[in-house]
């Protein structure tokens, strides 16, 4: 299907920023009752920043950040870019990584100057600590919404980097409006449970799925669908593509990856959830309009066909003049078109 840009009132510039690639996606959006939203780049700005670095006694903060950033230079993940940016801001000299490997959803590993460096999701068990062990002071003082990344050097836990990503200014209002429209909104995040729950609580979401791997996202969509829910998934990353394709309505951010946009039926051009609110309003208005048009089409034909067939002639002697029949058919088409044009005045 040819992509169509939907805007407030339809046809008044590119203000709404919604690209509908498939008409069936717009129809599906009208029936959605559950929305799963990826956190990074969708609810948040997608530009995390390093806010704290905790190191163990055997390594300095400068050395840890240098090794971690050097290992992350080949990664395109937003957290990786933030770590590299933090090192560059401090004027640190990065080293070329060898044997680079990205473990999707967990982190990266590489050899830096002969040292084995691993940078990935914070895991107290993996670094030899009990899960109830309190967070290091430098990390404990960071925002509760911060994402923690562990750094392991030569198989030994070396420290933790805390990163924070601001929630988009338009996100809270958009979430409230989506909930008012009857949608249950769940956040999907690879962050630790405490971080994800804090963000979900701050936004007033209906639920949260934390510590989710990329492969798990599609499974979550299937699980919600198995409960009889009509599911939309919103995301912007490469690893969101399977979930976007599996959802009843896939919604990609125009600021995200090409793969995500290719897999989704709708694209929010500017990556703003306010555009999703407008798309939901519009999809429901279109669906109502279709049902109204079907009613009038059946109404006209229900009256006209018996008259044209002479069903009332034996009783009343009524026959439908062909000229009046042609006028009636024209009026039927005009009424349908006129009703559809009312969508121009829909308030989104």
């Amino acid at each position: 299907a040819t992509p169509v840009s939907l805007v407030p009132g339809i046809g008044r510039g590119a203000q709404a920023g919604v690209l509908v690639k498939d008409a069936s996606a717009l129809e599906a959006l009208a029936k959605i009752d559950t929305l799963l939203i990826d956190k990074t780049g969708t609810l948040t700005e997608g530009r995390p920043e390093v806010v704290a670095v905790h190191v163990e006694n055997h390594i300095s903060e400068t050395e840890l950040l240098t090794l971690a950033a050097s290992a992350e230079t080949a990664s395109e993940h937003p957290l990786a870019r933030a770590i590299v940016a933090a090192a560059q801001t401090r004027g640190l000299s990065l080293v070329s990584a060898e044997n680079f490997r990205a473990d999707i959803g967990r982190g990266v590993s590489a050899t830096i100057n002969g040292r084995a460096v691993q940078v990935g999701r914070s895991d107290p068990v993996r670094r030899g600590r009990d899960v109830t062990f309190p967070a290091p002071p430098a990390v404990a003082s960071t925002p509760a919404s911060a994402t923690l990344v562990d750094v392991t050097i030569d198989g030994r836990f070396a420290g933790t980097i805390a990163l924070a990503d601001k929630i988009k200014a338009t996100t809270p209002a958009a979430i409230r409006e989506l909930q008012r429209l009857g949608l249950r909104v769940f956040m999907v995040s690879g962050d630790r449970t405490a971080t994800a729950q804090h963000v979900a609580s701050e936004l007033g979401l209906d639920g949260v799925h934390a510590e989710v791997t990329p492969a798990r996202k599609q499974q979550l969509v299937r699980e919600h669908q198995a409960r009889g829910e009509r599911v939309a998934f919103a995301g912007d990353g490469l690893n969101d593509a399977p979930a976007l394709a599996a959802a009843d309505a896939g919604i990609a951010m125009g600021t995200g990856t090409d793969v995500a946009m290719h897999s989704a039926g709708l694209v929010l051009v500017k990556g703003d959830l306010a555009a999703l609110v407008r798309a939901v309003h519009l999809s429901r208005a279109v669906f109502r309009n279709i049902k109204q048009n079907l009613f009038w089409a059946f109404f006209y034909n229900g009256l006209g066909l018996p008259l044209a067939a002479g069903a009332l002639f034996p009783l009343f002697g009524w026959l439908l003049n062909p000229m009046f029949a042609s006028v009636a058919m024209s009026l039927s088409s005009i009424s349908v078109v006129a009703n559809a044009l009312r969508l121009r005045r829909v308030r989104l």
Side-chain angles (χ1 to χ4, degrees):
T2 303
V4 179
S5 181
L6 299 182
V7 298
I10 307 179
R12 291 181 296 190
Q15 299 170 18
V18 182
L19 182 70
V20 179
K21 298 167 54 184
D22 187 349
S24 62
L26 189 65
E27 180 180 351
L29 188 63
K31 304 174 184 178
I32 292 301
D33 53 38
T34 300
L35 175 62
L36 303 181
I37 306 183
D38 181 62
K39 175 193 166 191
T40 305
T42 307
L43 293 174
T44 65
E45 296 284 356
R47 295 190 296 271
E49 298 178 350
V50 173
V51 293
V53 179
H54 164 75
V55 296
E56 294 292 283
N57 295 328
H58 65 279
I59 190 171
S60 68
E61 182 175 319
T62 297
E63 185 180 8
L64 180 137
L65 197 54
T66 299
L67 291 173
S70 296
E72 293 280 22
T73 51
S75 175
E76 297 182 353
H77 194 282
L79 296 181
R81 292 197 294 266
I83 293 173
V84 173
Q88 292 174 336
T89 299
R90 300 187 185 194
L92 304 180
S93 299
L94 304 186
V95 181
S96 298
E98 299 177 351
N99 304 319
F100 175 82
R101 178 181 175 181
D103 188 1
I104 298 177
R106 294 189 177 277
V108 304
S109 61
T111 302
I112 310 297
N113 286 337
R115 307 184 71 178
V117 180
Q118 291 180 306
V119 186
R121 179 186 298 175
S122 181
D123 185 351
V125 174
R126 182 182 61 199
R127 64 185 185 228
R129 297 185 176 189
D130 185 89
V131 291
T132 60
F133 194 92
V139 174
S141 61
T142 62
S145 59
T147 299
L148 302 183
V149 174
D150 282 350
V151 181
T152 302
I153 300 173
D154 293 329
R156 185 180 180 186
F157 172 67
T160 299
I161 300 174
L163 304 98
D165 191 6
K166 294 181 181 178
I167 293 174
K168 293 178 181 177
T170 56
T171 293
I175 294 297
R176 288 194 297 271
E177 179 63 13
L178 289 169
Q179 291 173 326
R180 190 189 68 80
L181 291 172
L183 277 68
R184 297 171 67 231
V185 185
F186 294 81
M187 185 179 76
V188 178
S189 174
D191 282 338
R192 59 195 175 115
T193 301
T195 297
Q197 288 179 339
H198 177 83
V199 175
S201 176
E202 185 177 346
L203 292 174
L205 302 182
D206 297 286
V208 59
H209 297 290
E211 301 184 25
V212 176
T213 62
R216 171 81 173 132
K217 292 180 180 179
Q218 184 184 38
Q219 186 178 349
L220 282 173
V221 171
R222 300 293 190 197
E223 289 175 0
H224 279 274
Q225 290 173 329
R227 293 197 285 266
E229 301 172 16
R230 295 183 179 272
V231 182
F233 186 93
D236 72 330
L238 177 67
N239 55 33
D240 294 326
L244 290 168
D248 296 288
I251 305 159
M253 302 295 112
T255 52
T257 63
D258 290 341
V259 173
M261 287 186 279
H262 179 76
S263 302
L266 297 99
V267 178
L268 309 184
V269 178
K270 296 183 179 180
D272 188 347
L273 285 180
L276 176 56
V277 174
R278 293 192 287 269
V280 172
H281 277 293
L282 183 60
S283 67
R284 293 183 178 183
V286 169
F287 203 70
R288 286 194 302 270
N289 196 275
I290 290 173
K291 290 193 286 187
Q292 291 164 1
N293 287 342
L294 285 173
F295 168 79
W296 286 112
F298 281 115
F299 178 77
Y300 266 104
N301 284 283
L303 290 179
L305 286 176
L307 285 172
L312 300 181
F313 182 77
L315 298 175
F316 305 103
W318 291 353
L319 285 174
L320 186 64
N321 187 299
M323 292 183 63
F324 286 108
S326 63
V327 171
M329 290 303 297
S330 297
L331 288 175
S332 174
S333 299
I334 290 172
S335 67
V336 168
V337 172
N339 190 43
L341 289 175
R342 289 193 310 112
L343 288 171
R344 293 174 60 88
R345 298 185 179 182
V346 172
R347 295 185 63 185
L348 305 177

